[in-house]
């Protein structure tokens, strides 16, 4: 892992872990490098990280309370909700993560791609 990807991975992991903590105890679901350019394998890498909270406390209320702080930290939010689940995507500097609230809460994201 390049130093830049390590820095971005640490930042993304911290943000996702902090967001997940607002909902309850989280279990990691994915954590690792991802090849981001299928036309030129091995040239661009990103870090993907995700967690799941099986028994969230007041998930809709908690999500709404997180949005202002994430906006202050430079994250833009995009509502992608459906009638069956609440989905909010956050983006900043090429990184993104999505919070899905549908019974359990799942959060998954990736860093911006960097040269390998």
């Amino acid at each position: 892992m390049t130093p830049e990807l390590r820095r971005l991975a640490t930042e993304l992991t911290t943000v996702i872990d902090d967001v997940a903590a607002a909902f309850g105890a989280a279990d990691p679901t994915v954590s690792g490098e991802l090849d981001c350019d299928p036309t030129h394998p091995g040239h661009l890498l990103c870090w993907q990280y995700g967690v799941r909270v099986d028994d969230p406390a007041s998930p809709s209320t908690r999500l709404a309370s997180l949005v202002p702080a994430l906006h202050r930290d430079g994250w833009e939010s995009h509502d992608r909700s459906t009638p069956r689940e609440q989905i909010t995507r956050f983006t900043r500097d090429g990184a993104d993560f999505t919070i899905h609230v549908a019974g359990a809460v799942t959060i998954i994201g990736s860093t911006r791609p960097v040269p390998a």
Side-chain angles (χ1 to χ4, degrees), residues 26-107:
D27 295 313
T29 58
V30 64
S31 180
E33 282 184 11
L34 185 65
D35 195 337
C36 297
D37 186 352
T39 61
H40 296 96
H43 287 99
L44 284 176
L45 300 174
C46 65
W47 185 263
Q48 188 175 42
Y49 181 71
V51 298
R52 178 179 171 94
V53 180
D54 284 320
D55 296 311
S58 306
S60 294
T61 303
R62 303 269 179 175
L63 177 56
S65 71
L66 293 170
V67 173
L70 289 164
H71 284 173
R72 280 192 300 275
D73 289 342
W75 292 94
E76 293 180 22
S77 62
H78 311 275
D79 184 9
R80 306 229 168 173
S81 297
T82 69
R84 293 187 302 147
E85 68 180 332
Q86 189 174 6
I87 305 167
T88 306
R89 182 171 184 243
F90 293 89
T91 58
R92 182 179 76 184
D93 300 328
D96 69 86
F97 68 94
T98 304
I99 302 172
H100 295 257
V101 176
V105 172
T106 56
I107 306 168

Side-chain angles (χ1 to χ4, degrees), residues 9-32:
T10 299
E11 180 181 289
L12 179 71
T13 300
T14 299
V15 168
I16 289 176
D17 285 345
D18 289 349
V19 167
F23 295 101
D27 295 313
T29 58
V30 64
S31 180

